[in-house]
Amino acid sequence: MSLARNLNRALTVTTGLQVRRAPRAVKEKPAAPTAVEARAAAPYRCPSPEELPAERLVRGPVFIISSIRSGSTLLRMMLGAHPRLHAPHELHIGKLEVTCANWFSERAMGELGLARGDLEHLLWDRVLHRELTGSGKDFVVEKTPANVYMYRRLKDCWPDARFVFLLRHPVSTARSWHETDPVKRPYDTAVTDVLKYLTAVEEARAADAEGFTVRYEDITDDPEREMRRLCAFLGVDYAPAMLDYGEKSGGELVRGLGDWRDNIRTGTVQPGRPLPAADEVPERLRPVCEAWGYAS
């Protein structure tokens, strides 16, 4: 009989107690990160100007940074009508992610100096290069509104990128967003939605002294003047075809990937809606209106 049994028998007789082995402490496992947390940080390095020829196929890409419902589809159609500028539909490259499926692939890429973010940058660059090469043009223009939330990363990925900041009166932007689905999106909800974009646009614009700012209302008021200014910024000659984009751009209007409504389909620049009066501006939108020169 074991010592433990003899001891327990004696203890039971004298005290009514027994000795038991203490259960092993269960180490609490940390909660698994959510999908958002797991993908939040994508480490990468920024290529130096000397490294760019080897690191990037696309040189000098153009990104339109704007809110939703700010006229970015109109601007991309006009730019896409230029003989040297290719402006495809929204590409949403920021949602293209790369995963090393096991330790070996992660170690192999690490030995090449490529973290997950670096691999994603290579993928994004390849997608844009494929589009640009197929077009036969010189520069690619990308206008996904969500790019406003990844402005810093786009600039790190392509240090030679050019940024065009497209502004529109905040109230007109909110109204346009509301009108796309009035039942699902009441006006107050639309204001909340667009304010996030407007704030991000202003933060990116403030961070980029070399970027080009253009207002939607100026484009609809005098499209030739604004396209001449924009072409000068991009280093290309002005092309009259930009004002008649319907016949010259060849761009497809894909539902869900930008505006596809009647005004865009006309192929020419349509007049903008009248600017709202000062008393029509919600309090939450006043700071942006003032920053963008829309204060009445």
Side-chain angles (χ1 to χ4, degrees):
M1 187 175 291
S2 68
L3 176 61
R5 287 185 182 180
N6 286 334
L7 179 60
N8 272 331
R9 175 172 291 183
L11 284 173
T12 301
V13 171
T14 58
T15 67
L17 302 177
Q18 289 189 348
V19 176
R20 300 281 187 191
R21 185 188 298 272
R24 291 184 180 179
V26 178
K27 292 184 179 180
E28 205 171 297
K29 293 183 179 179
T34 65
V36 173
E37 293 170 336
R39 304 297 298 181
Y44 61 85
R45 64 182 182 83
C46 307
S48 66
E50 296 75 22
E51 295 175 307
L52 275 181
E55 291 288 330
R56 299 291 177 260
L57 296 173
V58 173
R59 302 306 304 273
V62 179
F63 293 96
I64 299 173
I65 302 297
S66 71
S67 168
I68 49 177
R69 308 305 303 167
S70 287
S72 59
T73 299
L74 171 64
L75 182 55
R76 82 101 170 161
M77 296 296 287
M78 297 177 76
L79 292 176
H82 193 285
R84 297 187 63 193
L85 303 175
H86 177 54
H89 59 66
E90 296 173 5
L91 297 179
H92 295 268
I93 58 173
K95 293 302 181 182
L96 300 179
E97 299 178 341
V98 173
T99 299
C100 290
N102 58 26
W103 177 88
F104 297 102
S105 62
E106 186 173 354
R107 175 69 182 276
M109 293 301 100
E111 288 297 315
L112 297 179
L114 296 172
R116 177 165 62 88
D118 299 312
L119 294 171
E120 289 172 353
H121 288 176
L122 291 176
L123 173 60
W124 300 353
D125 183 63
R126 180 65 181 90
V127 170
L128 292 191
H129 184 259
R130 179 179 183 273
E131 269 299 302
L132 182 59
T133 301
S135 73
K137 296 187 178 185
D138 299 315
F139 302 105
V140 66
V141 179
E142 220 290 288
K143 56 90 37 183
T144 304
N147 284 345
V148 71
Y149 297 118
M150 51 183 287
Y151 158 78
R152 182 71 257 174
R153 191 165 175 190
L154 291 173
K155 193 172 183 65
D156 289 344
C157 179
W158 291 279
D160 60 348
R162 282 82 59 79
F163 293 90
V164 176
F165 299 101
L166 174 62
L167 312 184
R168 187 183 186 185
H169 196 296
V171 173
S172 300
T173 302
R175 285 176 176 170
S176 180
W177 184 231
H178 161 66
E179 290 164 4
T180 59
D181 194 335
V183 175
K184 176 183 176 182
R185 194 176 299 113
Y187 180 63
D188 192 60
T189 300
V191 170
T192 299
D193 291 345
V194 303
L195 185 55
K196 298 174 184 176
Y197 282 90
L198 303 177
T199 302
V201 169
E202 182 57 17
E203 289 174 353
R205 194 167 73 105
D208 192 337
E210 298 179 356
F212 180 89
T213 297
V214 61
R215 303 205 310 182
Y216 170 77
E217 293 83 3
D218 292 337
I219 293 175
T220 57
D221 180 59
D222 192 338
E224 179 176 341
R225 179 193 63 204
E226 296 308 302
M227 290 306 102
R228 285 185 179 277
R229 290 180 58 237
L230 186 47
C231 285
F233 168 73
L234 297 177
V236 297
D237 293 333
Y238 167 71
M242 301 172 78
L243 306 188
D244 191 15
Y245 64 82
E247 294 182 5
K248 302 298 183 180
S249 73
E252 294 183 8
L253 295 173
V254 183
R255 186 181 181 92
L257 297 177
D259 195 354
W260 66 93
R261 299 171 191 278
D262 290 342
N263 277 358
I264 289 294
R265 293 184 181 279
T266 62
T268 56
V269 180
Q270 300 298 302
R273 68 174 75 198
L275 291 180
D279 59 2
E280 297 177 285
V281 180
E283 189 64 33
R284 290 186 291 162
L285 296 181
R286 290 188 183 280
V288 182
C289 287
E290 294 174 1
W292 291 0
Y294 288 110
S296 299

